[in-house]
Amino acid sequence: MQKGKVSVNTENIFPIIKKFLYTDNEIFLRELISNATDATNKLKVLSQRGETSGELGDLTIKVSIDEAKKTLTISDSGLGMTAEEIDKYINQIAFSGAEEFVEKFKDTKEDANIIGHFGLGFYSSYMVADKVEINSLSHTEGAEPAKWVCEGSTDFKITKGKRKTRGTDIILHVNEENSEFLQKWKIQELLNKYCKFLPIPIQFDDKVINEIAPLWKKNPSDLKEEDYTEFYSTLYPMSEPPLFWIHLNVDYPFNLTGVLYFPKIKKEIDPSRNKIQLYSNQVYVTDNVEDIVPEYLMLLHGVIDSPDIPLNVSRSSLQADGAVKKITSHISKKVADKLAELHKADFEDYKAKWHNMSIFVKYGMLSDDKFYDRAKGICLLQNTDKVYSSIEEYIAKIEPNQTDKNGNKIGLYTNDADKQHSFVEAAKAKGYDVLLLDEVIDNHFISNLEQKNEKFQLKRVDADTAGKLIDKDDKTESVLSDDEVANLKTAFETAVDKDKYTITTEVMSPDEAFVTITRSEWERRMSEMGGMGGMQMFGQMPEKYSVAINTNHNLATKVLQADADEQKTLMSKAIDLAKLSQNLLTGKELSDFVKKQMASL
Ligand code: ADP
Ligand code: MG
């Protein structure tokens, strides 16, 4: 019998494990089952190399509960450990057995895949157990069974064991506070969460609970469309089918497999559902992939599996990790490639899908310059006549008729074709094209387009009168004299609340509106930013509008010629109508207006 102390620098590592090391104590089961899986995989490798004798036999890992003894046991038929190996790999915590294994066999590809990546895995069992036993029989010829017991102090005991077959039992004497881990449903739930896709069969309650060859590990050319949609519904039961998917399969310079699905993204994004699941060698790690994938990619669903994502470092250092950076950039490239492929293969189908993925694409373009460059050719702009073009095509299309006197190409858009109907019509009457940019993200996307495209600006159709939206310096002949124009302006100034409305006069075509109320693009953007919490100070600014009087309209002359009372009525009606078409006539003003109109019937 050998007695000794677990060699760690700290006085006693167990209280630390219990309290601080892992916040989720349930992961102990994942750790122990990963160890059993590793031990089994290592055995398979040794067997392939002819470095172990005897039949492999049934390699199923068995999980069982003994309610009377209050134990939870994980048994594998893996390579096992001799007493010396237990001493080395278990007692000398700082020494990673996996590391040595890799050192020994680092020249082959499969070997790298079988290392556990979870650091102090074995000792996580002390988060739920006060006493842990190991019973092991090594695969090596003539090996003696060994038994290790440690009751959660630095003292351990290694004795001759009784195990008759190759492999290892880990027996946890589960403590009172954690007795839930002695309940079948609980273990079932955890196995389902962490072990559903492990590569070695796991048996619990007489049933194998896992799928040893999950879809993402298969060869894409062997898979049919149904296989992908079926897997999607296993991952997310009751969800709408995905739009399309990408099968990831890289082994150099990093290892990454997985399947990412494009869900149908509605206007309302619900980030709480159907998250991407992260695996490491088919072991479930987390569905909190923040910091591992960029935010816009989190809108995707599916699985990524990479042993190269370091799991035992803090989240903030993850972002700086080289492998993680390469992985995200790879995913982002694959996604852009897939979009380009769909765009090229069937444009009609792509257009049909566009509204379910536009938020995703725009979000990606906003948050990642590289993605912007990759996606700009396949990002569609739609106009109010339902014509789609790429960004470049669009700018080229409007250039001849929508360039202002300073050489700026002015794109016009509406975010609500119904509410801004009269403005859309007025712009179209000038031969202008009007885009429909009505998604929540479009506010940001608009600024992004302006930044990325030289001498390109976007203006909402109601930012100005149609004639001034694009300042072209072409003058219309004025019907009124300068004095008359000045009089008209003074008259209208008495008819509005001057803090909110500024009167301007404009020489327009007689068939354009007499009075038009607009709000400048700049003013509106500033106030929207305030509303979104970005720039509080602007949010407090009073709303300001311009009231443009068309001095060439025949009503202009009529107002000038009317007597005082009639003039007042005319102006007030014209302003009310202009407000009405800008949705500015509300509350008491609206009821008064309706009452007056009724009375005049
Ligand atoms: P890691 O898995 O990261 O190496 P662990 O603390 O989980 O760290 O395990 C320590 C070592 O103990 C393993 O590397 C392995 O050598 C050994 N070990 C643990 N469980 C088993 C097992 N079921 N069969 C064989 N060896 C095991
Ligand atoms: Mg481990």
Side-chain angles (χ1 to χ4, degrees), residues 538-551:
F538 291 108
Q540 307 308 315
M541 278 194 334
E543 289 180 15
K544 286 203 184 285
Y545 295 87
S546 280
V547 182
I549 315 295
N550 178 0
T551 59

Side-chain angles (χ1 to χ4, degrees), residues 31 35 38 116 118-119 121-122:
E31 296 302 324
N35 284 351
D38 292 346
F118 302 104
F122 170 74

Side-chain angles (χ1 to χ4, degrees), residues 243-502:
L243 279 181
F244 53 87
W245 46 86
I246 303 164
H247 199 137
L248 301 163
N249 197 345
V250 194
D251 49 32
Y252 185 83
F254 51 85
N255 190 296
L256 174 72
T257 50
V259 176
L260 287 176
Y261 291 93
F262 261 71
K264 291 180 181 150
I265 298 173
K266 302 284 160 47
K267 290 206 167 146
E268 300 280 303
I269 300 170
D270 179 3
S272 61
R273 290 184 67 232
N274 295 3
K275 294 183 195 157
I276 294 180
Q277 302 182 352
L278 175 67
Y279 288 75
S280 179
N281 289 325
Q282 297 174 230
V283 183
Y284 173 85
V285 178
T286 179
D287 66 2
N288 177 6
V289 295
E290 228 176 295
D291 305 329
I292 298 169
V293 304
E295 215 177 350
Y296 68 97
L297 292 176
M298 298 214 307
L299 297 176
L300 303 179
H301 298 164
V303 169
I304 47 182
D305 185 339
S306 177
D308 291 327
I309 295 174
L311 299 166
N312 45 5
V313 301
S314 77
R315 279 307 174 101
S316 50
S317 47
L318 256 185
Q319 285 172 305
D321 185 83
V324 173
K325 276 190 186 154
K326 278 187 208 138
I327 287 171
T328 47
S329 127
H330 177 81
I331 294 176
S332 145
K333 182 176 179 304
K334 280 286 169 193
V335 168
D337 288 351
K338 181 73 189 187
L339 290 167
E341 182 192 313
L342 292 169
H343 181 270
K344 199 174 160 199
D346 186 348
F347 188 58
E348 286 308 309
D349 183 52
Y350 184 84
K351 275 198 304 198
K353 287 177 173 153
W354 174 247
H355 291 287
N356 283 127
M357 56 193 193
S358 59
I359 297 184
F360 168 85
V361 175
K362 289 172 180 175
Y363 193 12
M365 290 171 77
L366 276 173
S367 32
D368 179 355
D369 285 341
K370 270 197 191 149
F371 190 81
Y372 181 99
D373 291 332
R374 286 174 183 145
K376 65 181 176 201
I378 52 90
C379 175
L380 299 183
L381 297 174
Q382 184 203 352
N383 75 6
T384 49
D385 297 324
K386 295 198 159 55
V387 176
Y388 291 83
S389 15
S390 73
I391 299 166
E392 241 166 66
E393 282 165 0
Y394 191 75
I395 296 176
K397 168 170 134 187
I398 62 161
E399 189 166 6
N401 192 33
Q402 293 181 218
T403 302
D404 71 9
K405 61 181 184 188
N406 302 315
N408 292 313
K409 289 149 275 181
I410 311 291
L412 302 177
Y413 70 96
T414 172
N415 69 338
D416 190 329
D418 246 8
K419 277 192 184 159
Q420 291 147 15
H421 186 262
S422 60
F423 292 91
V424 172
E425 290 306 308
K428 280 189 183 170
K430 291 243 165 222
Y432 298 155
D433 192 280
V434 179
L435 287 173
L436 183 63
L437 292 171
D438 60 353
E439 291 174 329
V440 196
I441 196 165
D442 282 332
N443 269 330
H444 298 279
F445 186 59
I446 285 165
S447 327
N448 191 236
L449 284 177
E450 291 173 334
Q451 278 163 29
K452 293 282 185 179
N453 295 281
E454 225 180 308
K455 286 196 157 267
F456 177 60
Q457 285 167 17
L458 280 153
K459 267 189 180 175
R460 202 165 94 176
V461 276
D462 59 349
D464 223 321
T465 55
K468 279 190 173 165
L469 278 170
I470 300 167
D471 189 358
K472 290 183 173 175
D473 233 5
D474 42 18
K475 288 267 174 286
T476 319
E477 206 64 43
S478 177
V479 175
L480 301 186
S481 70
D482 288 355
D483 279 350
E484 287 171 319
V485 169
N487 288 341
L488 194 65
K489 190 170 181 228
T490 324
F492 266 97
E493 275 167 351
T494 63
V496 292
D497 169 6
K498 276 201 198 160
D499 289 335
K500 192 167 172 184
Y501 297 100
T502 311

Side-chain angles (χ1 to χ4, degrees), residues 31-40 42 74-76 78-81 85-86 88-90 92-93 95-99 101 114-124 134 136 167-170:
E31 296 302 324
L32 296 179
I33 293 182
S34 323
N35 284 351
T37 306
D38 292 346
T40 311
K42 286 174 187 172
I74 292 100
S75 296
D76 65 64
L79 87 176
M81 288 179 280
E85 283 166 334
I86 295 180
K88 190 167 166 192
Y89 299 136
I90 301 293
Q92 297 167 36
I93 293 178
F95 206 89
S96 167
E99 242 172 53
F101 189 81
I114 55 181
I115 330 160
H117 280 258
F118 302 104
L120 287 174
F122 170 74
Y123 281 95
S124 68
I134 302 175
S136 195
T168 306
D169 301 320
I170 307 289

